[in-house]
Amino acid sequence: MDIDGGGFSNPVKVTSLLCSHGFLGSLALWPHRGGALLSQRNSWRTVLSLAYQSLGVVYGDLSTSPLYVYKSTFAEDIQHSETNEEIYGVLSFVFWTLTLVPLLKYVFIVLRADDDGEGGTFALYSLLCRHARVGFLPNGQLADEEISAYKKTDRCGGAGSLSGGVGAASRVRVMLERHRVLQKMLLILALIGTCMVIGDGVLTPAISVFSAVSGLELSMAREHHKYVEVPIVCLILIGLFALQHYGTHRVGFLFAPVVIIWLLCISAIGVYNIFYWNPHVYRALSPYYMYKFVKKTQRGGWMSLGGILLCITGSEAMYADLGHFSQLSIKIAFTSVVYPSLILAYMGQAAYLSKHHVIENEYRIGFYVSVPEQIRWPVLCIAILAAVVGSQAIITGTFSIIKQCSALGCFPRVKIVHTSSKFHGQIYIPEINWILMILCLAVTIGFRDTKHMGNAAGLAVITVMLVTTCLMSLVIVLCWHKSIFLAVCFILFFGTIEALYFSASLIKFMEGAWVPIAFSCIFMIIMYVWHYGTLKKYEFDVQNKVSIEWLLGLGPSLGIVRVRGIGLIHTELVSGIPSIFSHFITNLPAFHQVLIFLCIKSIPVPHVHPEERFLVGRIGPKEYRLYRCIVRYGYRDVHKDDLELERDIVCSIAEFIRSGTSGPNGAAVESEKDDERMTVVGAGIRLCEVGDNPGEVAGPSSSTEIQSPIRARKKVRFVLPTSPRMNASTREELQELMEAREAGMAFILGHSYVRAKSGSGFVRRFAINYGYDFLRRNSRGPAYAVNIPYASTLEVGMIYYV
């Protein structure tokens, strides 16, 4: 099909592309999604396979924590004595911290709060947005709540919820919906957790690789080592970030074996040290030694908790990466492999240190000093590989959460590259990748020791956990319909533990803890300014949209010349006529014979089923040929490219016309307050684009075919499913849509200039005129518009005074 009037110049040949099972259904074939895979996950073979894979993706960061926990804990705040009370106290704290936070909190409680199989900070926030109207997505509709993924059942909490829990949920929901301040606080809390995850994406690669390379200390003089360690770490980090654009699927099969070998290595070394140096070290697992530790060390022991909490770095990944695996597989991997291996590793280090009280240098109180000299070099190599795997996981997680934030309007649009067509979630964001690399190198070169890096990483990790605890307490009430008392007990128990570690990390503000706070403030300002500017821009669109009565007064020709083709007008509005339309026809009184107002939006669910993606309606009477098409994506869905989206839009409009859902005689008029005028369009018509020979693509024998007259160019036809004979007006409308498709499609985009209106305060003027304007000019356009040829694009300039 050739497109006239400056459309696509190259003909495109497509054979039998079925909207519902080709384009719309392609995403359902991806792994870890869809109902068909749920039954497979229940088989033990699949569960064990996922558990094996999760070791390389989820637990890389957590498994490398023994490299730096003891070294950070004994840095300056405490020094162990001949009685071993400090060593036993630290081991006791490590054991109970690993038991209470990753095992009890995450494995047995938090993992149950999945958002349709997805996890993470924004998954919790999405759950709350669906169970209470606290979200800030401006173009939400009641129709969005009708999709299958938008559930308000207490699926996680079970069917046995008490009526008192339902009443408590209602009271909390009313309170949140009534007070705008509480909604903003909830959003800010989610953004803080997100910013700290991004900060963790900077700090974790630095401290993991640095700690792994620090094993070189034991094989060379200290004055030589300081000139070798930092360059090697920087080279590894540069290589790690430089290879991100290739994706992890090429080497991902190596991740799980590397982590498994590393866990077996540290657990075997731990068992050796326990039996060789101190078989009675198991006594330190008693909480009594925590009491003795705190009583003896007092303030120094409290400050050392900032190093102890590093033993749980990476625990949040169990929940954040839930969408790639299943709850059961993650639980099996942690309880059967990761948890016992870490406990044995920490016990072995404590056993060794309990018999080596005289340490020549502070740096020797680390992991490698407890490794037998005969295997120190192989362990060093395995540790570096494990550190790279752990760093890769947190970098990929950072990409993922930024994509979620961008989809929900809380982060500037960035270029998202899907590095694998087979594995969902493997993405690469070039701008973020290089920013992370620069910041990571700056941290490495600036600190050059694990003490300051540990203080920084510890604060980032514990802040994310505190945010998760706060959001989980609301999920317990709103989503699981449990009592407020249970939620209070949850936040008091785990919140107290995490607040203790948080205070110990925050007290080291000048010793490195300022880094994640600085990073969070920068990203928080960026995210909030973008969200605020986007919200105000949408409010301006709503206030200045053109009334439908004005449109109807123009008549079927709209008072202008209607030229052949389809005009696709991009707008954020889900109702009404955008002001760019009136602005365009005022300056250029001509438009296409078929007009489609296209709105592409994200809703607070992880995935939207292809059959529910398109919401189609008619604007004005049938003879106006004006349609509205709303394309809905979840925050983890992959957006279609321009060609695929173009065909699906035409198919959805054709199916809408054929099904006759627009009302009697096509006279239905869209209401700005009623969502029932819009219709969900799924399977039905398929679009075929054929060459000169009409026999190239043959439709099914049971299908009715509407085909344009034969021309010496590509033609378009709709292949319809078997149905009762359609009336003449429907056939005529389909014929006109088909001819318009043949003539070409033009994309009309708004080119906005946002300015603060007169009388605004200094902060608002600075945020809009400089902050938001800078982010808008340096961010990407709509995802589908990236590959649209310039010859098919029209931009309409508009100034927004917000």
Side-chain angles (χ1 to χ4, degrees):
M1 178 184 64
D2 294 326
I3 292 185
D4 300 330
F8 298 102
S9 57
N10 295 325
V12 180
K13 181 177 180 180
V14 184
T15 58
S16 300
L17 294 175
L18 192 61
C19 283
S20 59
H21 300 289
F23 296 114
L24 298 179
S26 61
L27 294 179
L29 301 178
W30 284 21
H32 83 273
R33 264 209 281 163
L37 291 181
L38 292 178
S39 59
Q40 296 179 8
R41 286 183 177 180
N42 293 329
S43 66
W44 279 106
R45 182 176 180 179
T46 304
V47 169
L48 292 177
S49 175
L50 290 173
Y52 167 77
Q53 297 172 36
S54 70
L55 289 171
V57 177
V58 178
Y59 298 109
D61 184 17
L62 184 61
S63 65
T64 56
S65 57
L67 289 171
Y68 45 80
V69 169
Y70 279 101
K71 187 173 183 178
S72 300
T73 303
F74 289 101
E76 289 181 359
D77 302 316
I78 56 175
Q79 296 294 331
H80 55 271
S81 60
E82 296 290 338
T83 60
N84 288 330
E85 290 183 357
E86 293 85 353
I87 297 174
Y88 290 166
V90 170
L91 175 60
S92 184
F93 264 103
V94 168
F95 171 76
W96 287 105
T97 302
L98 279 171
T99 302
L100 294 177
V101 179
L103 184 62
L104 180 59
K105 176 187 171 182
Y106 280 95
V107 171
F108 291 108
I109 300 176
V110 176
L111 284 180
R112 298 177 60 204
D114 65 300
D115 183 17
D116 195 20
E118 301 293 337
T121 303
F122 258 83
L124 288 176
Y125 182 69
S126 173
L127 275 176
L128 296 175
C129 288
R130 298 211 303 274
H131 287 77
R133 300 182 187 277
V134 297
F136 282 87
L137 287 175
N139 51 5
Q141 296 174 280
L142 291 176
D144 297 337
E145 301 180 11
E146 300 300 323
I147 66 175
S148 57
Y150 207 112
K151 297 177 181 178
K152 289 192 175 181
T153 59
D154 59 334
R155 178 173 55 87
C156 298
S161 299
L162 299 177
S163 58
V166 177
S170 300
R171 292 193 298 270
V172 173
R173 181 170 57 252
V174 169
M175 181 181 66
L176 288 174
E177 293 176 351
R178 182 177 300 172
H179 296 88
R180 191 76 171 175
V181 175
L182 295 179
Q183 298 175 20
K184 289 185 177 180
M185 290 177 60
L186 196 61
L187 175 64
I188 291 174
L189 190 65
L191 293 182
I192 290 174
T194 301
C195 292
M196 284 295 181
V197 171
I198 298 174
D200 195 22
V202 174
L203 298 167
T204 294
I207 189 173
S208 297
V209 177
F210 197 96
S211 300
V213 176
S214 65
L216 296 173
E217 294 173 324
L218 301 180
S219 60
M220 62 179 63
R222 188 169 179 82
E223 58 271 12
H224 296 154
H225 166 264
K226 63 182 180 180
Y227 298 110
V228 174
E229 186 177 36
V230 174
I232 291 177
V233 173
C234 291
L235 287 176
I236 294 175
L237 291 175
I238 292 173
L240 174 64
F241 284 99
L243 295 176
Q244 289 299 310
H245 69 280
Y246 290 109
T248 58
H249 64 285
R250 301 180 190 274
V251 292
F253 66 95
L254 295 175
F255 285 2
V258 167
V259 175
I260 290 176
I261 293 173
W262 168 250
L263 289 173
L264 291 176
C265 180
I266 61 175
S267 58
I269 294 173
V271 171
Y272 168 80
N273 285 330
I274 290 171
F275 284 97
Y276 189 83
W277 296 111
N278 189 353
H280 301 290
V281 73
Y282 68 89
R283 297 174 180 173
L285 302 183
S286 169
Y288 173 70
Y289 284 91
M290 290 193 294
Y291 167 75
K292 295 181 66 177
F293 173 80
V294 174
K295 182 179 179 181
K296 182 175 182 179
T297 57
Q298 298 181 358
R299 187 176 186 275
W302 167 61
M303 294 180 65
S304 69
L305 294 179
I308 294 174
L309 74 87
L310 294 176
C311 69
I312 54 176
T313 55
S315 300
E316 187 73 18
M318 286 192 288
Y319 184 52
D321 293 331
L322 181 59
H324 300 277
F325 305 98
S326 65
Q327 292 184 26
L328 185 58
S329 63
I330 291 178
K331 291 178 180 179
I332 290 175
F334 182 79
T335 55
S336 62
V337 180
V338 179
Y339 179 75
S341 298
L342 291 176
I343 296 300
L344 289 175
Y346 287 116
M347 290 178 65
Q349 289 188 63
Y352 178 88
L353 293 175
S354 67
K355 300 301 181 180
H356 297 78
H357 298 282
V358 180
I359 306 297
E360 296 179 2
N361 296 301
E362 167 208 336
Y363 66 87
R364 287 187 177 271
I365 307 180
F367 170 77
Y368 291 105
V369 73
S370 63
V371 178
E373 293 186 10
Q374 297 83 352
I375 60 172
R376 192 165 287 168
W377 279 103
V379 171
L380 174 65
C381 297
I382 298 172
I384 293 176
L385 291 176
V388 170
V389 170
S391 302
Q392 174 63 53
I394 192 65
I395 293 171
T396 304
T398 304
F399 292 158
S400 178
I401 199 167
I402 288 178
K403 177 182 179 294
Q404 295 177 25
C405 293
S406 180
L408 295 177
C410 293
F411 200 87
R413 288 188 292 263
V414 291
K415 181 181 180 181
I416 298 175
V417 179
H418 294 271
T419 58
S420 174
S421 59
K422 297 180 180 179
F423 301 101
H424 176 73
Q426 294 188 6
I427 61 175
Y428 166 68
I429 304 178
E431 300 95 330
I432 301 301
N433 182 68
W434 302 123
I435 290 174
L436 291 179
M437 187 190 76
I438 293 172
L439 295 177
C440 192
L441 292 175
V443 168
T444 303
I445 297 173
F447 285 152
R448 288 173 290 184
D449 67 82
T450 55
K451 174 190 171 184
H452 292 84
M453 294 182 191
N455 294 338
L459 183 61
V461 168
I462 201 64
T463 304
V464 175
M465 292 182 176
L466 269 174
V467 170
T468 301
T469 299
C470 296
L471 295 178
M472 267 300 302
S473 63
L474 291 175
V475 169
I476 290 173
V477 176
L478 289 175
C479 306
W480 295 356
H481 296 166
K482 302 298 183 181
S483 65
I484 296 179
F485 174 77
L486 191 63
V488 171
C489 291
F490 176 85
I491 197 171
L492 284 180
F493 182 75
F494 292 106
T496 301
I497 296 173
E498 291 162 358
L500 181 65
Y501 283 115
F502 179 80
S503 62
S505 296
L506 194 61
I507 200 67
K508 299 180 179 180
F509 179 84
M510 299 304 298
E511 300 176 21
W514 61 270
V515 172
I517 297 178
F519 289 163
S520 297
C521 289
I522 294 173
F523 283 106
M524 184 75 177
I525 291 172
I526 292 173
M527 295 169 73
Y528 197 81
V529 167
W530 179 262
H531 178 76
Y532 177 78
T534 304
L535 194 62
K536 291 301 178 183
K537 181 175 176 290
Y538 181 82
E539 291 176 357
F540 182 90
D541 276 332
V542 172
Q543 295 168 4
N544 294 274
K545 63 184 178 182
V546 180
S547 66
I548 297 178
E549 288 74 17
W550 170 83
L551 184 70
L552 298 178
L554 299 178
S557 66
L558 302 183
I560 57 177
V561 178
R562 302 292 290 269
V563 298
R564 297 178 67 251
I566 297 177
L568 203 62
I569 306 171
H570 179 261
T571 176
E572 300 294 333
L573 296 177
V574 294
S575 63
I577 309 300
S579 56
I580 63 169
F581 177 73
S582 62
H583 185 63
F584 182 90
I585 63 175
T586 300
N587 293 275
L588 183 63
F591 228 98
H592 300 81
Q593 66 186 104
V594 175
L595 295 180
I596 303 174
F597 292 93
L598 174 65
C599 174
I600 299 178
K601 68 174 188 176
S602 296
I603 56 178
V605 297
H607 306 289
V608 176
H609 291 294
E611 297 80 8
E612 302 172 317
R613 189 175 308 285
F614 290 87
L615 196 62
V616 182
R618 189 190 300 279
I619 301 177
K622 179 181 288 188
E623 59 268 18
Y624 280 58
R625 302 297 190 255
L626 297 178
Y627 309 95
R628 184 183 305 282
C629 181
I630 300 175
V631 186
R632 302 177 291 185
Y633 288 102
Y635 57 80
R636 289 188 65 90
D637 277 332
V638 180
H639 289 217
K640 297 173 180 289
D641 60 26
D642 58 314
L643 292 177
E644 190 176 349
L645 180 64
E646 180 183 326
R647 296 188 185 99
D648 286 348
I649 290 172
V650 175
C651 280
S652 64
I653 298 295
E655 173 62 20
F656 172 78
I657 295 171
R658 184 194 67 85
S659 60
T661 54
S662 56
N665 301 321
V669 178
E670 181 185 273
S671 170
E672 297 186 9
K673 295 183 180 180
D674 296 335
D675 284 349
E676 62 268 18
R677 297 294 185 181
M678 305 293 291
T679 303
V680 176
V681 176
I685 293 179
R686 56 175 174 155
L687 173 67
C688 293
E689 300 176 1
V690 297
D692 298 335
N693 181 10
E696 285 187 17
V697 179
S701 58
S702 60
S703 298
T704 305
E705 194 175 298
I706 294 181
Q707 186 167 322
S708 59
I710 297 178
R711 296 184 178 93
R713 61 177 181 179
K714 279 197 177 296
K715 301 181 298 298
V716 176
R717 70 180 185 183
F718 295 121
V719 181
L720 312 178
T722 303
S723 61
R725 185 177 181 84
M726 65 181 66
N727 56 45
S729 63
T730 300
R731 181 176 292 274
E732 179 185 355
E733 191 172 4
L734 281 174
Q735 181 75 30
E736 188 170 346
L737 176 64
M738 184 175 50
E739 292 175 353
R741 167 67 171 152
E742 276 192 344
M745 182 175 289
F747 295 82
I748 293 88
L749 307 175
H751 191 82
S752 58
Y753 299 89
V754 183
R755 294 290 181 267
K757 57 187 176 183
S758 59
S760 301
F762 172 77
V763 176
R764 183 171 184 172
R765 290 201 311 271
F766 184 84
I768 296 296
N769 295 345
Y770 298 98
Y772 181 75
D773 184 67
F774 174 81
L775 294 175
R776 182 193 59 79
R777 286 188 286 107
N778 290 276
S779 64
R780 301 276 174 168
Y784 77 93
V786 173
N787 298 318
I788 296 176
Y790 290 113
S792 301
T793 304
L794 293 173
E795 289 192 341
V796 182
M798 286 286 294
I799 299 179
Y800 290 77
Y801 292 100
V802 299

